[in-house]
Amino acid sequence: MAKLRSWTLRWPSIVRVCILNFVLNFMIVTLADDTGSNSIVSEGDCKSTNYQIFLPSPYQNISSTICKPVWNSYELRYTKTGDTTTIILSAPYTVGWVGIGFSRDGMMAGSSAMVGWINKHGHTKVKQFYLRGRRQSEVIVDKGELPLNNVPAAVATNGAEIYIAFQLQTTIPFGKQPILLAFSTKRPLNHHLPKHVDKIAVIFDFSSGSAGPVSNGLIQMRKNHGIVGIVGWGLILPVGAIIARYFRHKDPLWFYLHSAIQFVGFAFGLATVLLGLQLYRNVHVHIPAHRGIGIFVLVLSILQILAFFLRPDKDSKFRNIWNLYHSWLGRMALFFAALNIVLGMRAAGAGNDWKIGYGFLISIILVAVIVLEVLAYLKRSQKRSLPHTFQMDSVGEATFPTNLAKGMNAFTLFHTTPFVY
């Protein structure tokens, strides 16, 4: 029994050492510089074409572009001047439409595309489309997230080829970017795109001009990032917080459960961040809101870990301040983590199965919290309604020592018997 009590006293110190070691290892990994490259280089020279003859201004004046073949006879030219990146796509063309899309993960849903075609009257058309989903009704014209500048996009034909030219205005340097290439042999009708005949997704490195296919590993990494984040921040950590708030009467069991569950949830959160960093290194996708909130939640979680090490004793005058700090910082971290999960699913163009699954999980947690909060309120109200009186147990003669009882009997007899003279 003494050994068990000694282990119980040492257990929090062991957990603190393990968590500190885990945090230090994570910081070393994230600060390390990953200089490896996973791109598959495709060498080749573009066809010699003087596109400055048939493209309008300002594309006529652009020189020293980098040109790389990307798919079949598709060629991608680009150049960067200050914050402006000029992109020119050339492709075989007879009739229909040709498009180039910019994706976050190599998937169609959630991407934005520039599409060019020649209508039946021989007029050139170029539009930006937002590919909200895979159905034709979810392809929205004149919408998208491409940072186009004020220079109009241009479309021109030269022989059996079509050229789509446009400019992007952004201070963020382009790196490895998943792009989508597609075409159809049917013209758009009232700006409704017919289904593509063929398509491909490639990763184009705008810093070196190399291109390679989008691997299934990249798509799986994105899914793992979402799954681990939902399990860690959406399930494990809220359960640990529920235990700390509503099961304190099971002392000290609640403390051990809360510490262990939050430690596991913190590990899942770190794994989510590591997968996100790996995704960013492979594909430099700029999602400022999702990334910024993720870093903020990571800082809050690390502060919670540090609070575990700096926890004052129960009789300390700073314990109430620490309790407020720990509880409200935890609530803030859980709120922003839930918000970031929603933003991540939106940025990745997640399907309805992801949205329904996470919505169901959030609903269960909210219902559980509401029920437990109501029960806790009723219990507190019941305690306040009890009368503040003392209840004394009846005491018989057997309760007192024998000699004391004899003395009291003699005393009682002396005072109750009348004097006899």
Side-chain angles (χ1 to χ4, degrees):
M1 188 68 182
K3 292 183 178 180
L4 180 61
R5 186 179 297 108
S6 176
W7 183 90
T8 304
L9 294 175
R10 295 178 182 176
W11 185 88
S13 300
I14 297 174
V15 172
R16 293 180 186 181
V17 173
C18 293
I19 295 176
L20 180 60
N21 183 57
F22 196 76
V23 173
L24 292 176
N25 289 337
F26 167 74
M27 296 176 65
I28 293 172
V29 171
T30 53
L31 293 176
D33 184 18
D34 184 12
T35 58
S37 177
N38 298 324
S39 61
I40 303 173
V41 179
S42 176
E43 298 293 342
D45 296 326
C46 295
K47 297 183 295 292
S48 178
T49 303
N50 188 7
Y51 61 89
Q52 297 174 339
I53 298 176
F54 48 85
L55 282 178
S57 178
Y59 306 104
Q60 292 176 340
N61 306 323
I62 295 173
S63 59
S64 66
T65 60
I66 300 174
C67 182
K68 289 292 179 180
V70 286
W71 178 46
N72 295 336
S73 298
Y74 284 59
E75 295 175 347
L76 185 62
R77 295 173 173 86
Y78 71 95
T79 184
K80 182 176 176 60
T81 304
D83 296 337
T84 302
T85 300
T86 303
I87 298 174
I88 302 174
L89 175 70
S90 62
Y93 184 80
T94 53
V95 69
W97 59 264
V98 172
I100 173 173
F102 291 77
S103 172
R104 294 186 175 93
D105 52 11
M107 305 298 289
M108 171 183 170
S111 62
S112 302
M114 296 298 295
V115 180
W117 68 93
I118 309 296
N119 64 15
K120 61 181 181 180
H121 302 293
H123 300 151
T124 59
K125 296 288 184 178
V126 58
K127 293 285 185 178
Q128 180 181 189
F129 289 83
Y130 178 62
L131 312 179
R132 187 173 60 187
R134 303 181 65 88
R135 294 190 297 268
Q136 187 180 24
S137 60
E138 295 178 314
V139 180
I140 307 173
V141 66
D142 290 330
K143 297 291 183 180
E145 299 178 350
L146 295 179
L148 299 172
N149 62 5
N150 295 327
V151 176
V155 174
T157 55
N158 181 42
E161 289 187 318
I162 189 172
Y163 287 75
I164 303 173
F166 56 94
Q167 290 184 341
L168 303 178
Q169 191 80 26
T170 175
T171 57
I172 303 168
F174 277 93
K176 296 177 182 178
Q177 170 65 48
I179 60 174
L180 310 175
L181 302 171
F183 71 92
S184 174
T185 56
K186 295 181 179 180
R187 294 188 181 96
L189 181 62
N190 296 327
H191 297 153
H192 293 294
L193 293 182
K195 186 177 180 180
H196 52 73
V197 175
D198 199 3
K199 65 178 178 65
I200 192 174
V202 300
I203 293 180
F204 192 86
D205 192 347
F206 284 92
S207 61
S208 64
S210 61
V214 174
S215 63
N216 292 330
L218 183 63
I219 299 175
Q220 186 61 42
M221 189 186 305
R222 178 183 64 87
K223 291 182 179 179
N224 293 339
H225 174 69
I227 292 173
V228 174
I230 291 175
V231 172
W233 286 105
L235 176 61
I236 298 178
L237 289 173
V239 169
I242 288 174
I243 290 176
R245 177 167 177 80
Y246 300 108
F247 294 91
R248 284 180 174 267
H249 56 283
K250 302 291 184 181
D251 193 36
L253 179 61
W254 76 267
F255 174 75
Y256 297 141
L257 287 176
H258 174 69
S259 301
I261 292 174
Q262 298 306 82
F263 174 74
V264 174
F266 180 69
F268 271 80
L270 289 181
T272 305
V273 175
L274 290 174
L275 287 172
L277 291 174
Q278 192 173 358
L279 274 172
Y280 183 76
R281 292 190 183 111
N282 291 336
V283 183
H284 291 278
V285 181
H286 187 66
I287 312 175
H290 181 65
R291 191 181 183 194
I293 295 177
I295 294 174
F296 178 65
V297 172
L298 174 64
V299 171
L300 291 180
S301 63
I302 293 177
L303 290 177
Q304 288 290 75
I305 295 298
L306 294 177
F308 181 81
F309 291 96
L310 301 176
R311 182 168 57 95
D313 296 332
K314 291 184 178 181
D315 55 351
S316 174
K317 62 180 181 180
F318 300 105
R319 186 57 182 259
N320 290 334
I321 299 176
W322 183 91
N323 288 335
L324 291 174
Y325 158 80
H326 183 65
S327 59
W328 283 105
L329 210 66
R331 293 186 180 100
M332 189 184 303
L334 291 177
F335 170 77
F336 281 101
L339 175 63
N340 210 31
I341 291 174
V342 175
L343 292 177
M345 289 193 296
R346 180 182 177 185
N352 291 330
D353 51 347
W354 285 76
K355 297 175 183 178
I356 294 174
Y358 183 62
F360 182 72
L361 177 62
I362 287 293
S363 300
I364 291 177
I365 292 176
L366 288 178
V367 169
V369 169
I370 292 173
V371 171
L372 290 172
E373 190 68 31
V374 170
L375 293 177
Y377 175 78
L378 293 177
K379 188 175 182 179
R380 290 193 299 268
S381 300
Q382 185 179 9
K383 287 183 178 180
R384 287 195 298 265
S385 62
L386 291 176
H388 299 283
T389 57
F390 294 96
Q391 182 176 358
M392 299 184 64
D393 296 330
S394 58
V395 180
E397 290 188 1
T399 307
F400 295 94
T402 305
N403 54 354
L404 181 60
K406 291 180 179 179
M408 291 187 64
N409 290 336
F411 179 82
T412 305
L413 180 63
F414 176 78
H415 282 80
T416 56
T417 305
F419 288 98
V420 178
Y421 294 93

